Amino acid sequence: SQQGEEDPQALSIQEGENATMNCSYKTSINNLQWYRQNSGRGLVHLILIRSNEREKHSGRLRVTLDTSKKSSSLLITASRAADTASYFCATDRGGANNLFFGTGTRLTVIP
Amino acid sequence: NAGVTQTPKFQVLKTGQSMTLQCAQDMNHEYMSWYRQDPGMGLRLIHYSVGAGITDQGEVPNGYNVSRSTTEDFPLRLLSAAPSQTSVYFCASRGMSNTGELFFGEGSRLTVL
């Protein structure tokens, strides 16, 4: 079964708007990561947040983590057409080796 | 830098045929893994390896074999292909001592008829 569920499954916004995607997971974690996938390509790492962190920023990305609710959100500010992609959260289920991915949010940014 | 290289990019098989998906990385990463990606299912872990000579099963290992004879290579073998194995396959790697960021190949799209 999938570790994470992203919400919404699909999101369409105008260029310049902010995009927020949510991820819920089921088990305890050491860290949570967000990845981006352009159509027909491999996944690319965006940002990692540790279980003892509540918020992290990287450029136009802001990630929050609420371990009590087992949820995370990814905010992309001032979106661009080039941000059009699928976004996945992934967790380690508290273990050291593997990452387990959610089902993804497909983001479309309209120019 | 090449990163993670997967071959072939596309493959069509008939039911019952066998084949090997190749994966190579040039980053001296100890950890390597294979995922399959299906619509609406996200990525599911098939097999993984934490070093040469060490492999283990992931979430969906049935119908697949792996081996890790070198640090660089981690091939995935389909023993007797079934239509249910139609999917996009991704190889990923990372170092054991880093923060856990995975580096992905570009994927291999497999169709089993």
Side-chain angles (χ1 to χ4, degrees):
Chain A
S1 63
Q2 295 304 113
Q3 164 68 341
E5 293 289 337
E6 282 88 340
D7 170 51
Q9 290 187 337
L11 178 62
S12 184
I13 60 174
Q14 295 289 329
E15 199 165 34
E17 294 180 338
N18 294 342
T20 299
M21 289 158 272
N22 302 298
C23 167
S24 60
Y25 57 92
K26 300 174 184 176
T27 67
S28 62
I29 62 172
N30 293 320
N31 65 69
L32 183 145
Q33 302 182 35
W34 284 90
Y35 286 78
R36 166 194 170 125
Q37 183 182 33
N38 287 358
S39 181
R41 305 296 298 275
L43 280 74
V44 176
H45 179 264
L46 293 176
I47 194 166
L48 177 150
I49 186 166
R50 300 188 188 280
S51 60
N52 61 356
E53 297 175 313
R54 292 297 168 258
E55 186 171 313
K56 200 164 184 179
H57 296 254
S58 176
R60 292 184 297 113
L61 304 181
R62 172 179 169 252
V63 170
T64 62
L65 179 64
D66 186 335
T67 53
S68 67
K69 295 181 179 179
K70 291 187 169 58
S71 67
S72 173
S73 67
L74 171 67
L75 168 68
I76 303 174
T77 60
S79 63
R80 305 165 182 169
D83 294 328
T84 294
S86 292
Y87 293 82
F88 295 87
C89 68
T91 67
D92 56 15
R93 291 183 182 172
N97 284 326
N98 300 309
L99 280 184
F100 298 90
F101 287 81
T103 52
T105 292
R106 182 183 299 274
L107 172 66
T108 302
V109 181
I110 303 166
Chain B
N1 290 336
V4 179
T5 303
Q6 291 183 233
T7 57
K9 294 189 186 302
F10 301 95
Q11 183 72 48
V12 178
L13 290 178
K14 295 181 179 179
T15 297
Q17 288 184 318
S18 62
M19 77 157 298
T20 299
L21 299 177
Q22 302 291 344
C23 176
Q25 52 90 10
D26 62 358
M27 296 172 282
N28 202 31
H29 283 167
E30 293 155 301
Y31 175 93
M32 297 184 74
S33 56
W34 277 101
Y35 290 87
R36 59 177 289 173
Q37 183 176 32
D38 303 293
M41 299 289 290
L43 281 81
R44 292 181 291 169
L45 181 66
I46 304 172
H47 284 285
Y48 68 98
S49 167
V50 297
I54 305 169
T55 64
D56 207 345
Q57 297 181 349
E59 301 171 285
V60 288
N62 292 341
Y64 307 96
N65 271 0
V66 291
S67 60
R68 185 89 181 274
S69 57
T70 67
T71 299
E72 293 77 20
D73 300 299
F74 191 44
L76 178 72
R77 297 183 185 85
L78 281 71
L79 308 173
S80 177
S84 61
Q85 294 178 302
T86 293
S87 187
V88 182
Y89 292 85
F90 288 96
C91 180
S93 72
R94 65 170 171 81
M96 293 302 289
S97 60
N98 70 5
T99 55
E101 171 189 350
L102 281 177
F103 294 83
F104 280 83
E106 290 294 291
S108 297
R109 183 176 294 275
L110 175 67
T111 302
V112 183
L113 302 175

